[in-house]
Amino acid sequence: MAKTDSPLTLGTESVSKLLVQYSVPAIIASVATSLYNIVDSIFIGRGVGPMAISGLAITFPLMNLVVAFCTLIAMGGATISSIFIGQKNESRATDVVNNVMVLCLIHSVVFGGLTLLFLDDILYFFGATKETIKYAREFMTIILYGTPISYVFIGLNNLMRATGYPKKAMISALLSVAVNVVLAPLFIFTFKWGIAGAALATICGQFAAFVWVLIHFFSKSSFIHFKRDNRWFTPSIIMRIYSIGLSPFLMNVCACVVVVFINKALLDYAQGDGNLAVGAYGIVNRTTMFFVMVVFGVTQGMQPILGFNYGANKWDRVKRTLKIGIVAGVSITTLGFILTESFPDTISSLFTTDETLIDIARNGFRIYFICYPVVGCQIVIQNFFQSIGKPQISIFLSLTRQLLFLIPFLIILPRYFGTDGVWASMTGSDLIAFIVAVVTLIIMIRRLNKRFADIRPINQTP
């Protein structure tokens, strides 16, 4: 393996250089994935119709659940493998990779199978109506059949980055997006497969990336790769994966719950335009997730650096990584604020030509993005605690933004302000969650400063 890709440089190379080396590929991959989601929605909106956009929005909570059961394994495994490599324990890092592979297959079969059995009931619970159910059903049926491919791809791709191959992880994501973007218009416009064609294109793209990551981990030239003699199902490792992966898991579960509340609130308070209001939320959500995914690219790049140096007791490097990450995160979401407040109609018109849908989305953009700059800071802080193996704090911060503050706002504000109250609920919860995250970080940094004051970094000579 090339020196620049070696995970051992995580403890010696310049933090700024490492962040560029690890974050830029992750950001490129995240941007590509986000653009695919946006382009896919554009294809669906223009090729199938505005009601299909609403049907797609109904699938968001279920998609969050699909991702939740995958990130439970992927993020937990990535963090643990980085810490083991920082401790120079390559055998245990290999055990993690083996266990992640097995868990991805188990989770995909169990979750995908159970969800398919009750799909219509789940979609109606998430806010589907008789006008949108057929679109949501067609899309999710194909996605659920493809979960074994999706889970293995996502799980191993996170491990690829964590074990020292950020560029290869980027390539796998780009490969998935490229295949998807090529096939989606072919399936939707040429073959006339509608929203089902968009879902099939998604699975085809993920299959291409699935093959790529398997080739990497079966190759003996990879720093960490599958080894038959290492452990494949280890209770102690599985428990650690679950404990650390619980934070991103709950974050996605909370996102699922929140979308249900938002969809139902929009259906209740938008009167005759309820389905279009849900579609408008789909447009706003796709847009906000673009910038969130870029921030996640930064945190994905930070994760192996934080995990390695925390495991090696190099606390100063951990703090330096965190500071740079916060600046980057805030810069990204501030750009999102500027663009969405300045050009809401331009963004909405990419997805649809329906004037009512554009009007509703414009109002959503104006209100929701008011406090958006602070979101980047909150996300970086939350992922910081996950990356250093403190899942309880990360879980708490996840719950504050997506559940503890948002749900009460969604219950109260729409009663007085209608659909404006729905958008304002998201804004208010973001602001309060940011304050809580900053206070928590200050308290924990002081405690960790004291803890590391008398600890010598691993392998440092006296």
Side-chain angles (χ1 to χ4, degrees):
M1 182 171 53
K3 182 179 178 181
T4 55
D5 285 332
S6 173
L8 301 180
T9 63
L10 290 167
T12 57
E13 188 64 80
S14 161
V15 168
S16 299
K17 183 176 180 180
L18 286 170
L19 275 172
V20 171
Q21 179 183 334
Y22 277 79
S23 291
V24 169
I27 290 171
I28 292 173
S30 295
V31 168
T33 302
S34 298
L35 285 175
Y36 146 68
N37 288 328
I38 291 172
V39 170
D40 203 37
S41 297
I42 292 171
F43 288 151
I44 291 171
R46 291 184 172 270
V48 188
M51 206 55 65
I53 285 285
S54 298
L56 183 65
I58 293 299
T59 69
F60 288 170
L62 187 50
M63 289 291 288
N64 283 329
L65 275 181
V66 172
V67 173
F69 281 94
C70 186
T71 55
L72 174 63
I73 309 162
M75 298 305 293
T79 298
I80 295 169
S81 62
S82 293
I83 292 174
F84 279 142
I85 292 173
Q87 295 170 346
K88 302 192 182 302
N89 194 338
E90 295 175 21
S91 179
R92 292 290 278 174
T94 301
D95 290 342
V96 172
V97 173
N98 290 357
N99 277 259
V100 164
M101 176 69 173
V102 172
L103 288 175
C104 281
L105 291 174
I106 294 174
H107 276 225
S108 64
V109 172
V110 173
F111 176 77
L114 288 176
T115 306
L116 279 167
L117 289 176
F118 305 100
L119 183 56
D120 275 19
D121 293 333
I122 293 171
L123 292 173
Y124 277 120
F125 176 76
F126 287 161
T129 64
K130 62 180 181 180
E131 293 86 8
T132 59
I133 184 66
K134 66 176 183 178
Y135 299 109
R137 183 196 302 121
E138 285 181 26
F139 187 82
M140 283 309 306
T141 298
I142 294 173
I143 294 296
L144 290 169
Y145 275 119
T147 48
I149 293 170
S150 305
Y151 275 37
V152 172
F153 155 52
I154 296 171
L156 294 184
N157 200 53
N158 277 271
L159 286 174
M160 186 184 291
R161 182 182 300 106
T163 55
Y165 295 87
K167 293 180 181 177
K168 293 188 75 173
M170 174 191 71
I171 291 172
S172 61
L174 291 177
L175 180 62
S176 172
V177 171
V179 172
N180 202 323
V181 169
V182 170
L183 293 181
L186 180 67
F187 291 168
I188 294 172
F189 295 104
T190 304
F191 295 166
K192 305 296 183 182
W193 290 347
I195 199 169
L200 183 60
T202 297
I203 298 303
C204 289
Q206 291 178 344
F207 179 76
F210 163 86
V211 173
W212 170 263
V213 295
L214 282 183
I215 291 173
H216 169 82
F217 280 104
F218 275 112
S219 173
K220 293 183 179 179
S221 64
S222 300
F223 183 74
I224 300 294
H225 55 272
F226 294 130
K227 291 183 180 179
R228 182 183 303 176
D229 295 334
N230 277 65
R231 300 174 181 178
W232 289 83
F233 196 84
T234 312
S236 61
I237 289 179
I238 292 171
M239 290 305 297
R240 289 193 66 182
I241 288 174
Y242 283 157
S243 65
I244 294 178
L246 192 59
S247 172
F249 171 77
L250 288 178
M251 183 176 70
N252 282 287
V253 170
C254 288
C256 168
V257 173
V258 164
V259 171
V260 172
F261 274 86
I262 292 172
N263 285 343
K264 290 187 179 297
L266 290 171
L267 287 169
D268 290 341
Y269 292 99
Q271 300 176 356
D273 291 326
N275 283 323
L276 289 180
V278 171
Y281 172 63
I283 293 173
V284 172
N285 188 51
R286 284 296 195 203
T287 306
T288 187
M289 284 307 298
F290 172 80
F291 297 101
V292 167
M293 288 296 290
V294 178
V295 178
F296 281 162
V298 174
T299 61
Q300 288 171 1
M302 292 170 60
Q303 182 270 316
I305 305 170
L306 291 169
F308 182 100
N309 286 286
Y310 189 82
N313 299 329
K314 297 183 178 182
W315 179 233
D316 286 341
R317 292 176 61 81
V318 171
K319 290 191 291 184
R320 173 68 174 162
T321 304
L322 173 63
K323 290 177 183 177
I324 298 175
I326 289 176
V327 172
V330 172
S331 299
I332 292 163
T333 49
T334 298
L335 177 62
F337 162 77
I338 294 171
L339 292 177
T340 53
E341 292 290 338
S342 301
F343 310 105
D345 286 7
T346 302
I347 296 171
S348 298
S349 62
L350 293 174
F351 296 87
T352 182
T353 57
D354 188 285
E355 290 299 328
T356 303
L357 184 53
I358 292 174
D359 288 342
I360 299 173
R362 180 197 307 123
N363 198 45
F365 277 122
R366 295 289 194 204
I367 298 173
Y368 174 69
F369 278 85
I370 291 174
C371 294
Y372 200 63
V374 303
V375 171
C377 180
Q378 198 275 344
I379 293 174
V380 170
I381 293 173
Q382 173 196 315
N383 281 272
F384 163 73
F385 287 112
Q386 175 189 314
S387 296
I388 63 172
K390 295 192 176 296
Q392 297 89 345
I393 299 175
S394 184
I395 291 168
F396 168 69
L397 296 180
S398 296
L399 292 175
T400 58
R401 179 171 179 242
Q402 299 196 72
L403 198 67
L404 297 181
F405 301 137
L406 182 54
I407 298 301
F409 280 144
L410 282 172
I411 293 173
I412 297 170
L413 294 184
R415 295 181 180 180
Y416 299 98
F417 304 105
T419 54
D420 287 352
V422 178
W423 307 119
S425 297
M426 293 181 269
T427 302
S429 65
D430 283 346
L431 180 59
I432 298 176
F434 159 73
I435 295 171
V436 171
V438 170
V439 171
T440 303
L441 179 65
I442 292 171
I443 293 171
M444 289 305 302
I445 288 292
R446 288 175 179 174
R447 292 181 182 177
L448 291 170
N449 281 337
K450 294 178 181 178
R451 173 186 167 185
F452 282 96
D454 299 321
I455 297 179
R456 188 184 304 279
I458 290 176
N459 291 339
Q460 177 176 305
T461 55

